[in-house]
Amino acid sequence: MSSDGPTAETTSVRLDVPEHNWAGNYTYRADRLHRPSTLEQVREIVANAPRVRVLGSRHSFNGIGDSSELLTLDSLAGDVSVDRDARTVSCAGSVRYGELAEVLDAEGLALGNLASLPHISVAGAVATATHGSGDANGNLATAVAGLQLVTSSGDVLTARRGDADFDGLVVSLGALGAVTRITLDVEPAYQVRQRVFEGLTWDALFEHFDEITSSGYSVSVFTRWGDTTDQVWVKSRVTDAPEQVRADLFGARAATTERHPIIGIDPVNATKQLGAPGPWSDRLSHFRMGFTPSAGDEIQSEYIVARRHAVAAIEAVRVLAGAVRPLVQVCEIRTIAADRLWLSPQYGQDTIAIHFTWKRDETAVGRVLPDVERALAPFDARPHWGKVFLAQADVISRLYERLPDFSRLVERLDPRGAFRNEWLESRVLGAAQ
Ligand SMILES: Cc1cc2nc3c(=O)[nH]c(=O)nc-3n(C[C@H](O)[C@H](O)[C@H](O)COP(=O)(O)OP(=O)(O)OC[C@H]3O[C@@H](n4cnc5c(N)ncnc54)[C@H](O)[C@@H]3O)c2cc1C
């Protein structure tokens, strides 16, 4: 990197060596990286950049966050402030869930859910409708009560839940502006215990799908598409009533030692199991802050379908087990509740998500993805925005009835197209203009 320009000395560098995403499977094409430390600097940089995007914690697996200029908001000062009356917390968009959780824990407060890892930035996760699990839990974007963003004119826009177009602003794909502050719903802190069950048969999963996914506050089924599923992780909120300890879950045995979702990996980076109660922030994610989440050397894809298709969609992937199994480290099936956010895969429907943690073999994964997408097409599968998928804008446009509204919002907030990028044009907006 080399410094460049008098006023930009502390905030702007030319990228002599390209930047990568977290997984290392995507190389950003940007040749300039800005690191503003004040809101004024963000406004100036955004207003003057021909094309720009904000980098979150870079945990997406595709070009969603790329541009010719990138902005990291890590140095932007911003307090975490709790409003107990409104039951909300406000923080900088770049704050990571794990950092936010520390403050909330100290205040005796909690978020309603977390993704599998606490390392991701709040604004980046919200922009892609990142989710955890739980029949009654919406994705993480549904907790957003307010936003502050800098639009391409350099103006600061604030919006709150209930405002016109708010439901289009939240899952923004990073296309509407730089989110500098974000306000989330909070609730009183609670404890969670987590138990893992092993060897659930496919028949039991299909026969008791609703009972299994509702057996806890947040439930994940892990599988490598073998003769049985591998593990079911059940996270339950601790109540005053004594725990009904189950020795089995529809034939799956309770694990007697700690597990990692990927069989064979040391569970040291996984959150505590075996029913030990612990704070929400130390149980709702699968992986602990301070450790590498998941396997690290991986690519991810995920497809979201209406819950009514759960069994048929899982069966459709299972038919491909012969091709999928050698390429996956693990797959995860979760449930996420419906919402009204325009570009949320949960828009208007309770859903299940079928996630793939692939081995890092892009060519082989590229060969099997067409089959996976073809198999899930009859269920109108919506791909996770932050992961690897093949569908182009013509397919995506049929899956999102509010896409024309989103396209108009992009036009209105970013008429000069500063936040547009190749990924957005080809995957999302292409067919909606
Ligand atoms: C190991 C691992 C585990 C994961 N687990 C889950 C999971 O459990 N559930 C799930 O749903 N997903 C999961 N993901 C996917 C991940 O949550 C999403 O890709 C998420 O978007 C990552 O957030 P980020 O901060 O890294 O954003 P980035 O990847 O950096 O950016 C994503 C998008 O957000 C935009 N953006 C970021 N910050 C801002 C801002 N301040 N203002 C405006 N736009 C912004 C970017 O421009 C880009 O368009 C996982 C990914 C990894 C690597």
Coordinates of all heavy atoms in Angstrom, one line a residue, residues 133-190:
S133 N -30.8 -19.4 13.3 CA -31.9 -20.4 13.2 C -33.0 -20.1 14.2 O -32.8 -19.4 15.2 CB -31.3 -21.8 13.3 OG -32.3 -22.7 12.8
G134 N -34.1 -20.8 14.0 CA -35.2 -20.7 15.0 C -36.5 -20.5 14.3 O -36.6 -19.5 13.5
D135 N -37.5 -21.4 14.6 CA -38.8 -21.3 13.9 C -39.4 -19.9 14.0 O -40.0 -19.4 13.1 CB -39.8 -22.3 14.5 CG -39.4 -23.7 14.0 OD1 -38.4 -23.9 13.3 OD2 -40.1 -24.7 14.4
A136 N -39.2 -19.3 15.2 CA -39.9 -18.0 15.4 C -38.9 -16.8 15.3 O -39.2 -15.7 15.5 CB -40.5 -18.0 16.8
N137 N -37.6 -17.1 14.9 CA -36.6 -16.1 14.8 C -36.5 -15.6 13.3 O -36.2 -16.3 12.4 CB -35.3 -16.6 15.3 CG -35.3 -17.0 16.7 OD1 -36.0 -16.4 17.5 ND2 -34.5 -18.0 17.1
G138 N -36.6 -14.2 13.2 CA -36.4 -13.7 11.8 C -34.9 -13.6 11.6 O -34.1 -13.9 12.5
N139 N -34.5 -13.2 10.4 CA -33.0 -13.1 10.1 C -32.5 -11.8 10.9 O -33.3 -11.1 11.5 CB -32.7 -13.0 8.6 CG -33.3 -11.7 8.0 OD1 -33.2 -10.6 8.5 ND2 -33.9 -11.9 6.8
L140 N -31.2 -11.6 10.9 CA -30.6 -10.6 11.7 C -31.1 -9.2 11.3 O -31.1 -8.3 12.1 CB -29.1 -10.7 11.7 CG -28.5 -12.0 12.2 CD1 -27.0 -11.9 12.3 CD2 -29.1 -12.4 13.5
A141 N -31.4 -9.0 10.0 CA -31.9 -7.7 9.6 C -33.2 -7.3 10.2 O -33.6 -6.1 10.3 CB -32.0 -7.7 8.0
T142 N -34.0 -8.3 10.6 CA -35.3 -8.0 11.2 C -35.2 -7.3 12.5 O -36.2 -6.7 13.0 CB -36.2 -9.2 11.4 OG1 -35.6 -10.1 12.2 CG2 -36.5 -9.9 10.0
A143 N -34.0 -7.3 13.1 CA -33.8 -6.6 14.4 C -33.5 -5.1 14.2 O -33.4 -4.4 15.2 CB -32.7 -7.3 15.2
V144 N -33.3 -4.7 13.0 CA -32.9 -3.3 12.7 C -34.1 -2.4 12.9 O -35.2 -2.5 12.3 CB -32.4 -3.2 11.3 CG1 -32.0 -1.7 11.0 CG2 -31.1 -4.0 11.1
A145 N -33.9 -1.5 13.9 CA -35.0 -0.5 14.2 C -34.7 0.9 13.6 O -35.6 1.7 13.4 CB -35.1 -0.3 15.7
G146 N -33.4 1.1 13.2 CA -33.1 2.3 12.6 C -31.7 2.3 11.9 O -30.9 1.4 12.2
L147 N -31.5 3.2 10.9 CA -30.2 3.3 10.2 C -29.8 4.7 9.9 O -30.7 5.6 9.8 CB -30.4 2.7 8.8 CG -30.6 1.2 8.6 CD1 -31.1 0.9 7.2 CD2 -29.4 0.4 8.9
Q148 N -28.5 4.9 9.9 CA -28.0 6.2 9.4 C -27.1 5.8 8.2 O -26.2 5.0 8.4 CB -27.2 6.9 10.5 CG -26.5 8.2 10.0 CD -25.5 8.7 11.0 OE1 -24.5 8.1 11.2 NE2 -25.8 9.8 11.6
L149 N -27.3 6.4 7.0 CA -26.4 6.1 5.9 C -26.1 7.3 5.2 O -26.8 8.3 5.1 CB -27.0 5.0 5.0 CG -28.1 5.2 4.1 CD1 -28.1 4.1 3.0 CD2 -29.4 5.1 4.9
V150 N -24.8 7.3 4.6 CA -24.4 8.4 3.7 C -24.6 7.9 2.3 O -24.1 6.9 1.9 CB -22.8 8.6 4.0 CG1 -22.3 9.6 3.0 CG2 -22.6 9.0 5.4
T151 N -25.4 8.7 1.6 CA -25.7 8.4 0.2 C -24.7 9.0 -0.7 O -23.8 9.7 -0.3 CB -27.2 8.9 -0.1 OG1 -27.2 10.3 0.0 CG2 -28.2 8.2 0.7
S152 N -24.8 8.6 -2.0 CA -23.7 9.0 -2.9 C -23.6 10.5 -3.2 O -22.6 10.9 -3.7 CB -23.9 8.3 -4.3 OG -25.1 8.7 -4.9
S153 N -24.6 11.3 -2.7 CA -24.4 12.7 -2.8 C -23.6 13.2 -1.6 O -23.3 14.4 -1.6 CB -25.8 13.4 -2.8 OG -26.5 13.0 -1.6
G154 N -23.4 12.4 -0.7 CA -22.7 12.8 0.6 C -23.6 13.2 1.7 O -23.2 13.6 2.8
D155 N -24.9 13.1 1.3 CA -25.9 13.5 2.4 C -26.1 12.4 3.4 O -25.9 11.2 3.1 CB -27.3 13.7 1.7 CG -27.3 15.0 0.9 OD1 -26.6 16.0 1.3 OD2 -27.9 15.0 -0.2
V156 N -26.5 12.8 4.6 CA -26.7 11.8 5.6 C -28.3 11.5 5.7 O -29.0 12.5 5.9 CB -26.2 12.3 7.0 CG1 -26.5 11.2 8.1 CG2 -24.7 12.5 6.9
L157 N -28.6 10.3 5.6 CA -30.1 9.9 5.7 C -30.3 9.1 6.9 O -29.5 8.1 7.2 CB -30.4 9.1 4.4 CG -31.8 8.5 4.3 CD1 -32.7 9.5 3.7 CD2 -31.8 7.2 3.5
T158 N -31.3 9.4 7.7 CA -31.6 8.5 8.8 C -33.0 8.0 8.6 O -33.9 8.7 8.1 CB -31.6 9.3 10.2 OG1 -32.4 10.4 10.1 CG2 -30.2 9.7 10.6
A159 N -33.3 6.8 9.0 CA -34.6 6.2 8.8 C -34.9 5.3 9.9 O -34.0 4.7 10.5 CB -34.6 5.4 7.5
R160 N -36.2 5.2 10.3 CA -36.6 4.3 11.4 C -37.6 3.4 10.9 O -38.4 3.7 9.9 CB -37.1 5.2 12.5 CG -36.0 5.9 13.3 CD -36.6 6.5 14.5 NE -37.8 7.4 14.2 CZ -38.4 8.1 15.1 NH1 -38.0 8.1 16.3 NH2 -39.4 8.8 14.7
R161 N -37.8 2.2 11.6 CA -38.8 1.3 11.3 C -40.1 2.0 11.2 O -40.4 2.8 12.1 CB -38.8 0.2 12.4 CG -39.7 -1.0 12.0 CD -39.8 -1.9 13.2 NE -38.6 -2.8 13.3 CZ -38.0 -3.1 14.4 NH1 -38.4 -2.6 15.6 NH2 -37.0 -3.9 14.4
G162 N -40.9 1.7 10.2 CA -42.2 2.4 10.0 C -42.1 3.5 9.0 O -43.1 3.9 8.5
D163 N -40.9 4.1 8.8 CA -40.8 5.1 7.7 C -41.0 4.5 6.4 O -40.8 3.3 6.1 CB -39.4 5.7 7.7 CG -39.1 6.6 8.9 OD1 -40.0 6.9 9.7 OD2 -37.9 7.0 9.1
A164 N -41.5 5.4 5.4 CA -41.7 4.9 4.1 C -40.4 4.3 3.5 O -39.3 4.9 3.8 CB -42.1 6.1 3.2
D165 N -40.5 3.2 2.9 CA -39.3 2.6 2.2 C -38.3 1.9 3.2 O -37.3 1.4 2.7 CB -38.6 3.5 1.2 CG -39.4 3.9 0.1 OD1 -40.4 3.2 -0.2 OD2 -39.1 4.9 -0.6
F166 N -38.6 2.0 4.5 CA -37.6 1.4 5.4 C -37.4 0.0 5.1 O -36.3 -0.5 5.2 CB -38.1 1.6 6.9 CG -37.2 1.1 7.9 CD1 -36.1 1.9 8.3 CD2 -37.3 -0.1 8.5 CE1 -35.1 1.4 9.2 CE2 -36.4 -0.6 9.5 CZ -35.3 0.2 9.8
D167 N -38.5 -0.7 4.8 CA -38.3 -2.2 4.5 C -37.5 -2.5 3.3 O -37.0 -3.6 3.1 CB -39.7 -2.8 4.3 CG -40.5 -2.9 5.7 OD1 -39.8 -2.7 6.7 OD2 -41.7 -3.2 5.6
G168 N -37.2 -1.5 2.5 CA -36.3 -1.6 1.3 C -34.9 -1.2 1.7 O -34.0 -1.6 1.0
L169 N -34.8 -0.4 2.7 CA -33.4 0.1 3.0 C -32.5 -0.9 3.8 O -31.3 -0.7 3.8 CB -33.6 1.3 4.0 CG -34.0 2.7 3.3 CD1 -34.3 3.7 4.5 CD2 -32.8 3.2 2.5
V170 N -33.2 -1.8 4.5 CA -32.4 -2.6 5.5 C -31.5 -3.6 4.8 O -30.3 -3.6 5.0 CB -33.4 -3.2 6.5 CG1 -32.6 -4.0 7.5 CG2 -34.2 -2.1 7.2
V171 N -32.1 -4.5 4.0 CA -31.3 -5.5 3.3 C -30.9 -4.8 2.0 O -31.6 -4.9 1.0 CB -32.1 -6.8 3.0 CG1 -31.3 -7.8 2.3 CG2 -32.6 -7.4 4.4
S172 N -29.8 -4.1 2.1 CA -29.5 -3.1 1.0 C -28.5 -3.7 0.0 O -28.3 -3.1 -1.0 CB -28.8 -1.9 1.6 OG -27.6 -2.3 2.2
L173 N -27.9 -4.9 0.3 CA -26.8 -5.4 -0.5 C -25.7 -4.4 -0.6 O -24.9 -4.5 -1.6 CB -27.3 -5.9 -1.9 CG -28.6 -6.7 -1.9 CD1 -29.0 -7.0 -3.4 CD2 -28.5 -7.9 -1.1
G174 N -25.6 -3.4 0.2 CA -24.6 -2.4 0.2 C -24.8 -1.4 -0.9 O -23.9 -0.6 -1.2
A175 N -26.0 -1.4 -1.6 CA -26.1 -0.7 -2.8 C -26.7 0.7 -2.6 O -26.9 1.5 -3.5 CB -27.1 -1.5 -3.7
L176 N -27.1 1.0 -1.4 CA -27.9 2.3 -1.2 C -27.0 3.4 -0.5 O -27.4 4.6 -0.5 CB -29.1 2.0 -0.3 CG -30.1 1.0 -0.9 CD1 -31.2 0.7 0.0 CD2 -30.6 1.5 -2.3
G177 N -25.9 3.0 0.1 CA -25.1 4.0 0.7 C -24.2 3.4 1.8 O -24.2 2.1 1.9
A178 N -23.4 4.2 2.5 CA -22.5 3.7 3.5 C -23.3 3.8 4.9 O -23.6 4.9 5.3 CB -21.3 4.5 3.6
V179 N -23.5 2.6 5.5 CA -24.3 2.6 6.8 C -23.3 2.9 7.9 O -22.4 2.2 8.2 CB -25.0 1.3 7.0 CG1 -25.6 1.2 8.4 CG2 -26.0 1.0 5.9
T180 N -23.5 4.1 8.5 CA -22.5 4.6 9.5 C -23.0 4.2 10.9 O -22.2 4.0 11.8 CB -22.3 6.1 9.3 OG1 -23.6 6.7 9.1 CG2 -21.3 6.4 8.2
R181 N -24.3 4.2 11.1 CA -24.8 3.8 12.4 C -26.1 2.9 12.2 O -26.8 3.1 11.2 CB -25.2 5.0 13.3 CG -24.0 5.6 14.0 CD -24.3 6.5 15.1 NE -24.7 5.9 16.4 CZ -23.9 5.3 17.2 NH1 -22.6 5.2 16.9 NH2 -24.3 4.8 18.3
I182 N -26.3 2.0 13.2 CA -27.4 1.1 13.0 C -28.0 0.9 14.4 O -27.3 0.9 15.4 CB -26.8 -0.2 12.4 CG1 -27.9 -1.0 11.8 CG2 -26.0 -1.0 13.3 CD1 -27.3 -2.0 10.7
T183 N -29.3 0.8 14.5 CA -30.0 0.6 15.8 C -30.7 -0.7 15.7 O -31.4 -1.0 14.8 CB -31.0 1.8 16.0 OG1 -30.3 3.0 15.9 CG2 -31.7 1.7 17.3
L184 N -30.5 -1.5 16.8 CA -31.1 -2.9 16.8 C -32.0 -3.0 18.1 O -31.7 -2.4 19.1 CB -30.0 -3.9 16.9 CG -28.9 -3.9 15.8 CD1 -27.8 -4.9 16.2 CD2 -29.5 -4.2 14.5
D185 N -33.0 -3.8 17.9 CA -33.8 -4.2 19.1 C -33.0 -5.0 20.1 O -32.2 -5.9 19.7 CB -35.0 -5.1 18.6 CG -35.9 -4.4 17.7 OD1 -36.0 -3.1 17.7 OD2 -36.5 -5.1 16.8
V186 N -33.3 -4.7 21.4 CA -32.6 -5.6 22.4 C -33.7 -6.0 23.4 O -34.8 -5.5 23.4 CB -31.5 -4.8 23.2 CG1 -30.3 -4.6 22.3 CG2 -32.0 -3.6 23.8
E187 N -33.3 -7.0 24.2 CA -34.3 -7.5 25.2 C -33.4 -7.8 26.5 O -32.2 -7.9 26.4 CB -35.0 -8.8 24.7 CG -34.1 -9.9 24.3 CD -34.8 -11.1 23.6 OE1 -35.5 -11.8 24.4 OE2 -34.7 -11.2 22.4
P188 N -34.0 -8.1 27.6 CA -33.3 -8.5 28.8 C -32.4 -9.7 28.5 O -32.8 -10.6 27.7 CB -34.3 -8.8 29.8 CG -35.5 -8.0 29.4 CD -35.5 -8.1 27.9
A189 N -31.2 -9.7 29.1 CA -30.3 -10.8 28.8 C -30.9 -12.2 29.3 O -31.7 -12.2 30.2 CB -29.0 -10.6 29.6
Y190 N -30.5 -13.2 28.6 CA -31.1 -14.5 28.9 C -29.9 -15.6 28.8 O -28.9 -15.3 28.1 CB -32.3 -14.9 28.0 CG -32.0 -14.8 26.5 CD1 -31.5 -15.8 25.8 CD2 -32.2 -13.5 25.9 CE1 -31.3 -15.7 24.4 CE2 -32.0 -13.4 24.5 CZ -31.5 -14.4 23.8 OH -31.3 -14.3 22.5

